[in-house]
Amino acid sequence: MEPVIRTSGLAKEYDGGVHALRGIDVEIGDGEFVAVTGPSGCGKSTLLNLLGGLDRPSRGEIELAGRRVDGFSEGRWALVRRREIGFVFQFFNLIGNLSVADNVELPGLLAGLPAKEARARRRELLASLGIEEHADAAPGRLSGGQQQRVAIARALVNRPRVLLADEPTGNLDSSSARDVMALLRAAHDERGQTIVLVTHDARVAARADRVIAMRDGAVSSETRLDDTRGDVSATVSRLMELGA
Ligand SMILES: Nc1ncnc2c1ncn2[C@@H]1O[C@H](COP(=O)(O)OP(=O)(O)O)[C@@H](O)[C@H]1O
Ligand SMILES: [Mg+2]
């Protein structure tokens, strides 16, 4: 499988001397669904932020779709993010004074989609995520689970190469969390969407095809789960043993 993301020796030290990442080498294949897991503070969000250009590495390389991006300027990263990367965050990060529809269409318009196309994609996404009746509402009127659906629609509107999700179920009750995972799974199964999902929850990680476990700024293990699916409890206990 052609890697869509590759890192080599990726390291990050924050001001104050925190070694958040100590040399990460990972490859993520085009169309893969990967979970990055591990205890709080092990560097998961730092890794995701570097992959999406939201922060810069101290050392090491990042390749996205075959080209080096780690040295990109903020302006070039902004273009990459607009066209090739979708983000989903724990706290949804929707724009409160725009309607649901506008939240989803805006990144499309910023990326240069004609208004008609942005509208068509928004309609299709909101329908497939089951929230079309809320198109004109303010996001704050929706439940957490519904807001996260809007955030997923927004992340997918530009058909990004990669969807980066940081604890997307971290602020949801367990039933909404299951829904959101099912939707991400469907985006992967039906559209071949590449997904990198960060979670400290082994049950959430168990929905991915591969789990990269981290500890103290380094990769501690990589486990392929697709052949063990069907026995989710065995998978979860395996992840627990791995210390995820
Ligand atoms: N902006 C920052 N400045 C200084 N230290 C940070 C910053 N962000 C994260 N850290 C530290 O880096 C380490 C990794 O954090 P993080 O990537 O957020 O871990 P995780 O997402 O796995 O909980 C932690 O020790 C955290 O306190
Ligand atoms: Mg985090």
Side-chain angles (χ1 to χ4, degrees):
M1 207 173 357
E2 175 78 2
V4 63
I5 294 174
R6 191 206 312 264
T7 74
S8 145
L10 197 63
K12 176 70 179 178
E13 282 122 44
Y14 288 108
D15 295 342
V18 178
H19 292 255
L21 297 179
R22 304 166 184 270
I24 301 280
D25 304 313
V26 290
E27 271 193 19
I28 291 158
D30 199 14
E32 234 193 329
F33 184 178
V34 174
V36 176
T37 192
S40 177
C42 72
K44 305 180 297 295
S45 294
T46 300
L47 176 61
L48 210 72
N49 291 345
L50 296 184
L51 295 180
L54 297 178
D55 200 359
R56 301 285 170 268
S58 307
R59 283 180 305 287
E61 299 178 3
I62 307 172
E63 274 178 33
L64 177 68
R67 73 217 195 275
R68 282 281 294 276
V69 293
D70 47 85
F72 273 15
S73 65
E74 183 45 41
R76 289 187 79 184
W77 261 119
L79 280 179
V80 168
R81 278 196 299 272
R82 235 175 251 169
R83 295 183 180 151
E84 300 176 66
I85 298 175
F87 287 97
V88 178
F89 300 100
Q90 178 172 359
F91 295 104
F92 325 129
N93 296 14
L94 299 168
I95 302 175
N97 57 2
L98 291 183
S99 68
V100 162
D102 288 344
N103 266 276
V104 176
E105 286 180 32
L106 184 63
L109 298 172
L110 290 174
L113 285 183
K116 217 174 132 187
E117 175 69 14
R119 198 177 325 126
R121 289 191 190 186
R122 176 262 295 175
R123 288 208 172 109
E124 188 227 308
L125 280 163
L126 291 185
S128 76
L129 297 173
I131 41 172
E132 67 269 56
E133 71 267 34
H134 301 295
D136 298 326
R141 305 200 63 87
L142 274 54
S143 71
Q146 289 168 333
Q147 289 189 56
Q148 198 60 301
R149 288 168 187 238
V150 176
I152 291 171
R154 176 186 59 183
L156 293 175
V157 74
N158 288 328
R159 303 186 176 153
R161 290 295 300 262
V162 183
L163 181 70
L164 302 176
D166 194 350
E167 305 279 6
T169 62
N171 198 38
L172 301 180
D173 62 61
S174 56
S175 133
S176 304
R178 273 196 302 278
D179 283 356
V180 159
M181 286 309 295
L183 291 168
L184 291 176
R185 189 74 227 171
H188 168 73
D189 293 347
E190 290 159 21
R191 301 164 193 253
Q193 180 66 52
T194 306
I195 303 177
V196 184
L197 178 150
V198 159
T199 179
H200 66 279
D201 184 338
R203 261 161 250 277
V204 171
R207 302 298 307 269
D209 294 332
R210 183 157 65 97
V211 176
I212 298 175
M214 289 180 62
R215 179 154 290 217
D216 199 16
V219 172
S220 55
S221 71
E222 297 197 40
T223 313
R224 191 161 289 285
L225 299 178
D226 30 10
D227 20 281
T228 56
R229 196 170 318 283
D231 187 357
V232 175
S233 60
T235 304
V236 170
S237 40
R238 203 157 140 218
L239 286 168
M240 298 287 189
E241 281 162 28
L242 291 168

